[in-house]
């Protein structure tokens, strides 16, 4: 069992503090990885350990008392946690969106909904539900998949199509069916234990249902309308930026494990070991720099008062492309290292066995799919993205 020094009791207030806590927690998560996978969700005490790092608060703006980490800083934190366990890193990534959602809510409402900056959110943004327009808000009903972290979340955000008197509500942009995001307390959500999967078992990404729950209008949002704050974190696609941290953290863990294993086996001068590790290291370095380079450039433009439209087509495409590339590269690295280690990798609880399944599963997420290429290519050519959600556009409402 790994022993780490006790963390300071004060709330983490800086990027360096949160990152240091995440790095200190990683060995503990590695020790708990088998348990996390076996239970198919994060144990309650692991959730509290994550909360103690400050990962759930890192997206809150400074004017709300938050640390307001840049997207690159957030990605580093997710990377550090995922180095310990992919499921924990994935839940941390999802749960850390709380402060980001707050930017799209009225400030007074956000203060009421999130009395603590360390509250976690979960949910699926695809409009799988039905929201009937009623006085003062909506009646929400539906079933959603992939509710990563829904077993421990404080608030659940879900996408739904709008209806008025039983008929579809058209969008302001002329679309035949408008949609919106609605936030409900976890107490109003029923979790269905469907998460029996190849990998990422610990993320607890179960289906969930919400049945005829009244949602006040002020508890809804769209990424087309910023209500609280401004700047680099108050942007439509902000919730997708730190996702590559999971893939990069797992790839780094696999590389370190394979290197240590080779040294312990006395294979420092084995040609195949040398060339495989070097090839994987090169791919990792390129993928990681692609992610952080795109994030740094975006932050530079937005921090100077620009908008996403001020990015060049190539810069706009760089974010979804680097994100997809990071996921695909992580899977490729783990697969090659699995082959390098050979038979010792096949026995559970080999971490390479778990990482192989985790990276295979995470690459089924939309951000790692080929349709991202079409979206990015459309930006490069001045065409129309067939799947704008790839860039974080989830509602037509303005």
């Amino acid at each position: 069992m790994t022993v780490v020094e006790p963390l300071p009791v004060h709330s983490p207030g800086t990027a360096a503090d949160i990152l240091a806590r995440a790095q200190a927690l990683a060995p503990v998560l590695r020790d708990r990885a088998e348990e996390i996978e076996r239970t198919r969700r994060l144990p309650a005490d692991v959730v509290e350990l994550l909360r103690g790092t400050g990962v759930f608060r890192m997206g809150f703006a400074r004017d709300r008392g938050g640390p307001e980490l840049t997207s690159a800083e957030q990605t580093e934190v997710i990377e550090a946690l995922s180095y310990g366990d992919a499921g924990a890193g994935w839940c941390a990534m999802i749960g850390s969106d709380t402060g980001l959602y707050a930017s799209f809510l009225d400030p007074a409402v956000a203060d009421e909904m999130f009395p603590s900056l360390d509250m976690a959110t979960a949910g699926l943004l695809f409009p799988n539900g039905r929201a009937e327009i009623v006085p003062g808000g909506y009646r929400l009903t539906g079933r959603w998949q992939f509710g990563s972290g829904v077993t421990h979340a404080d608030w659940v955000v879900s996408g739904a199509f709008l209806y008025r008197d039983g008929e579809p509500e058209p969008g302001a942009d002329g679309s035949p069916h408008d949609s919106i995001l609605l936030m409900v307390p976890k107490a109003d959500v029923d979790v269905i234990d469907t998460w029996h999967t190849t990998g990422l078992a610990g993320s607890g990404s179960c289906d969930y249902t919400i049945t005829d729950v009244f949602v006040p209008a002020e508890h809804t949002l769209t990424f087309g309308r910023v209500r609280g704050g401004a700047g680099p974190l108050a942007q439509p696609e902000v919730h997708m930026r730190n996702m590559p941290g999971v893939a990069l953290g797992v790839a780094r863990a696999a590389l370190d494990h394979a290197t240590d294993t080779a040294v312990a086996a006395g294979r420092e001068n084995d040609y195949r070991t040398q060339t495989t590790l070097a090839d994987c290291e090169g791919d990792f370095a390129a993928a990681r720099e692609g992610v952080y380079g795109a994030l740094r450039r975006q932050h530079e433009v937005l921090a100077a008062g620009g908008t996403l439209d001020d990015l060049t087509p190539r810069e706009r495409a760089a974010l979804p492309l680097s994100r997809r590339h990071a996921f695909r590269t992580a899977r490729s690295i783990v697969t090659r290292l699995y082959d390098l280690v050979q038979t010792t990798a096949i026995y559970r609880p080999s971490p390479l066995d778990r990482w192989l399944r985790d990276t295979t599963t995470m690459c089924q997420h939309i951000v790692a799919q080929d349709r991202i290429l079409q979206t990015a290519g459309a930006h490069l050519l001045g065409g129309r993205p067939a799947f704008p959600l790839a860039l974080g556009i989830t509602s037509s409402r303005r």
Side-chain angles (χ1 to χ4, degrees), residues 99-305:
L100 308 181
Y101 292 135
S103 297
F104 298 89
L105 297 167
D106 182 87
V109 172
D111 288 342
E112 180 183 356
M113 292 174 65
F114 310 123
S116 166
L117 301 186
D118 296 309
M119 299 175 72
T121 46
L124 184 73
L125 304 188
F126 283 98
N128 285 5
R130 178 183 180 118
E132 182 74 25
I133 300 172
V134 297
Y138 308 86
R139 304 294 307 188
L140 177 62
T141 297
R143 175 169 176 162
W144 293 261
Q145 290 181 291
F146 311 117
S148 302
V150 71
T151 57
H152 61 257
D154 298 293
W155 287 87
V156 177
V157 57
S158 307
F161 284 116
L162 293 181
Y163 288 79
R164 188 186 300 271
D165 299 324
E167 297 296 324
E169 178 79 353
D173 62 353
S175 59
H177 211 158
D178 203 358
S179 64
I180 198 169
L181 299 174
L182 306 95
M183 301 193 73
V184 303
K186 168 64 187 321
D188 292 332
V189 176
D190 292 316
V191 177
I192 305 173
D193 189 9
T194 54
W195 195 240
H196 300 270
T197 57
T198 302
L200 281 183
S203 68
S205 304
C206 298
D207 289 14
Y208 64 93
T209 61
I210 298 173
T211 306
D212 195 32
V213 170
F214 175 71
V215 183
E218 59 268 25
H219 288 184
T220 68
L221 62 112
T222 71
F223 288 129
R225 181 184 178 191
V226 177
R227 297 179 184 173
L233 296 185
Q235 301 290 332
E237 41 54 82
V238 67
H239 63 287
M240 305 177 77
R241 296 182 197 166
N242 61 19
M243 291 186 72
V246 181
L248 293 173
V250 172
R252 182 69 264 165
L255 277 162
D256 289 351
H257 173 77
T259 301
D260 292 343
T261 300
V263 171
R267 295 166 59 190
E268 300 95 323
N269 295 313
D270 177 70
Y271 178 83
R272 180 182 176 221
T273 301
Q274 291 172 337
T275 56
T276 300
L277 285 173
D279 193 35
C280 290
E281 283 286 357
D283 286 349
F284 175 81
R288 190 174 190 274
E289 179 54 34
V291 167
Y292 285 99
L295 290 173
R296 286 192 296 266
R297 176 55 184 158
Q298 185 193 66
H299 181 79
E300 181 181 73
V301 171
L302 297 177

